[in-house]
């Protein structure tokens, strides 16, 4: 009595297995039963399917490797000016215009670091008059830098309002002014306009 039921169960399981082995063909005209995912959703799904290692050390090692690769890609982009791989703070037409605006002009702040080194050397010298002179020169230079910042900032703000009236330009002026502090050859992304060449 029990043997016959077990034989029937085994035969039905075999039939189901054979049925699963046969590929299910779908009529090309028939609907597939689910909506086609958007490209952004498909890409996000593909990114989330990355295999995560069970070992924490291996996971940390993979994360470090990914970060190192990303940093290297961004560094190369900063040197070559590749817009696609730039860091978020450097991306976009607004930031590119702000860089070009600064790079096409002379700025007092550009010479701040070399000047600060000279003033520091003068202040170390054990001559009172030189120390006082270095302090006064530093204060004078600081005033000139502030005035130059105001000039560049106002000019850039006007240029951005004319060039990008409907875009968000928040932070672009500060970004450009921070760029002026660096020597031209040290700036990243590298300058693409010459002095006097308007963007």
């Amino acid at each position: 009595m029990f043997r016959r039921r077990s034989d029937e169960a085994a035969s039905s399981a075999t039939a189901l297995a054979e049925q699963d082995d046969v590929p299910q063909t779908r009529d090309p005209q028939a609907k597939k039963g689910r909506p086609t995912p958007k490209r952004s959703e498909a890409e996000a799904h593909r990114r989330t399917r990355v295999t995560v290692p069970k070992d924490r050390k291996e996971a940390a090692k993979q994360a470090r490797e990914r970060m190192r690769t990303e940093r290297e890609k961004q560094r190369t982009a900063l040197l070559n000016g590749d817009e696609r791989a730039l860091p978020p703070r450097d991306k976009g037409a607004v930031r590119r215009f702000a860089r070009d605006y600064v790079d096409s002009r002379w700025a007092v702040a550009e010479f701040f670091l070399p000047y600060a080194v000279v003033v520091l050397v003068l202040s170390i010298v054990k001559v009172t008059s030189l120390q006082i002179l270095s302090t006064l020169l530093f204060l004078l230079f600081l005033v000139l830098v502030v005035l130059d910042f105001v000039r560049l900032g106002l000019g850039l703000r006007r240029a951005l309002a004319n060039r990008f009236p409907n875009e968000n330009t928040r932070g672009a002026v500060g970004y450009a002014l921070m760029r002026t502090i660096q020597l031209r050859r040290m700036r990243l992304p590298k300058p693409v306009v010459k002095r006097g060449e308007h963007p």
Side-chain angles (χ1 to χ4, degrees):
M1 178 171 75
F2 294 110
R3 183 171 178 79
R4 190 173 65 188
R5 283 188 182 173
S6 62
D7 288 344
E8 287 175 1
S11 62
S12 63
T14 308
L16 284 172
E18 288 173 356
Q19 189 178 5
D20 287 342
D21 289 342
V22 176
Q24 297 288 328
T25 57
R26 184 174 66 85
D27 183 23
Q29 301 299 324
K31 293 184 178 180
K32 60 187 172 190
R34 59 184 171 82
T36 303
K38 294 180 182 175
R39 174 179 281 185
S40 57
E41 293 172 353
E43 287 174 355
H45 182 62
R46 197 162 50 240
R47 280 196 292 269
T48 54
R49 280 191 304 181
V50 177
T51 54
V52 179
K54 294 177 182 177
D55 185 14
R56 288 180 68 184
K57 286 185 179 179
E58 185 64 29
K61 183 179 176 183
Q62 282 187 10
R64 280 195 304 270
E65 186 65 26
R66 278 197 304 273
M67 287 176 64
R68 189 187 67 77
T69 307
E70 189 65 29
R71 279 196 304 267
E72 183 62 28
K73 192 169 25 171
Q74 287 183 355
R75 191 182 73 82
T76 307
L78 286 170
L79 292 172
N80 300 335
D82 184 7
E83 183 77 21
R84 293 168 299 175
L86 286 175
R89 73 182 182 95
D90 297 305
K91 275 187 178 177
V94 173
R95 296 298 169 104
R96 185 170 61 248
F97 178 79
R99 288 195 301 271
D100 293 345
Y101 186 90
V102 167
D103 294 337
S104 65
R105 288 162 173 77
W106 289 95
V108 179
E110 187 176 337
F111 305 100
F112 180 77
L113 290 178
Y115 189 82
V117 171
V118 172
V119 169
L120 182 63
V121 170
L122 288 174
S123 64
I124 292 172
V125 177
K126 298 293 183 183
V127 178
T128 309
S129 58
L130 279 179
Q131 289 178 341
I132 293 171
L133 180 64
S134 68
T135 305
L136 290 173
L137 287 174
F138 185 75
L139 290 173
L140 176 64
F141 190 76
L142 207 58
V143 170
L144 289 174
V145 166
V146 170
L147 291 174
D148 198 41
F149 270 1
V150 171
R151 176 185 68 87
L152 275 172
L154 291 174
L156 178 57
R157 197 179 297 278
R158 269 196 309 272
L160 286 170
N162 292 335
R163 184 70 68 93
F164 306 100
N166 300 320
E167 290 193 38
N168 182 16
T169 59
R170 185 178 178 182
V173 175
Y175 169 78
L177 293 180
M178 288 303 296
R179 187 174 174 85
T180 60
I181 297 175
Q182 302 167 331
L183 289 169
R184 183 180 170 86
R185 68 182 66 178
M186 305 288 288
R187 293 173 184 171
L188 290 176
K190 293 286 186 185
V192 294
V193 294
K194 297 177 181 177
R195 302 232 193 233
E197 182 183 342
H198 293 290

